[in-house]
Each structure stands twice: as structure tokens, then as C-alpha cells.
Amino acid sequence: MVGRIPVRHPIGLMVDEEKKELYIASPAKDKDGQQGEVLVVDLSNDKVLRRLRHEGMEHPTNMVLHKDKVIVASQTQKSILEFDRSSGEFSRVLIENLPDAPENIALSPC
């Protein structure tokens, strides 16, 4: 069975294999007045569980999981944002004023 997920413009995808969740980065369209968001979808039933949003995050591109956090690259803000993995609540700006708009993000152990 194929489900339908209500996403405007999917641009970045990530699977949380542990929780069986799909993360979808969806930027805002210019004229719809909505902000960009990251949808968290239950892979067993295609239901949207959470929406990660932050004021000014119009164009999230990609994300990565780190422990109990979701790290999101935001092109319009030229920033890297952190959200709580369980609640989807915004935590903080990790990096701001990047010299260019981030497209991808990777996590490297130190």
C-alpha cells in the first residue's frame, strides 16, 4: 500500500531507522505565506507525527540526527539549527552567519 504525505516541496529526506520515522525538509513557497518546516512521518502508517518549525526557517535543506537532537541546515537564515528529537521543539541556533547558504550537512566524530 502506498500512502500520501502532505508535503509542499520535499527537498531533503532522512530516515531514523531506530524509530522508523521519515524526516522531510519542505521549504516555503514564495506566495503561500507559510514557513518552511521539517515533517516527521511515521513510516508504518504515513501519519505526520511532528513539525519542526522556527521563525525565519523558510528553506530547510537537509538534516542529521545527533543523540536526542535533530540538526537542520537552514538556507535562508544561513544557519544550522537544533531541535529536540522527541518533541520537535526548537532548541537553539548552533551556527549563524555562514558565508553562504548551506545545502547539506554531515556529522563527523571528533
Side-chain angles (χ1 to χ4, degrees):
M1 174 182 243
V2 176
R4 203 164 242 274
I5 301 169
V7 179
R8 292 185 304 272
H9 290 295
I11 193 165
L13 300 172
M14 175 182 68
V15 174
D16 180 344
E17 292 186 35
E18 177 186 320
K19 294 188 175 188
K20 305 296 184 226
E21 295 174 343
L22 174 66
Y23 287 73
I24 306 169
S26 178
K29 287 184 82 171
D30 293 330
K31 298 176 181 147
D32 70 5
Q34 296 180 343
Q35 63 186 21
E37 62 187 357
V38 175
L39 284 80
V40 184
V41 178
D42 185 325
L43 287 172
S44 69
N45 60 18
D46 299 331
K47 301 288 184 200
V48 176
L49 301 172
R50 293 177 298 289
R51 295 175 185 269
L52 284 60
R53 294 178 173 158
H54 181 256
E55 186 176 332
M57 186 177 76
E58 296 172 12
H59 199 287
T61 53
N62 273 299
M63 54 249 118
V64 66
L65 296 174
H66 179 63
K67 299 180 183 176
D68 62 341
K69 301 296 181 186
V70 181
I71 312 301
V72 179
S74 175
Q75 275 194 348
T76 47
Q77 293 173 300
K78 294 185 179 178
S79 298
I80 306 298
L81 309 176
E82 179 184 86
F83 293 84
D84 182 82
R85 186 173 174 183
S86 296
S87 70
E89 293 293 318
F90 173 75
S91 300
R92 62 187 173 135
V93 176
L94 291 175
I95 302 171
E96 57 187 348
N97 301 318
L98 290 166
D100 201 357
E103 186 69 35
N104 291 306
I105 186 168
L107 198 61
S108 177
C110 295

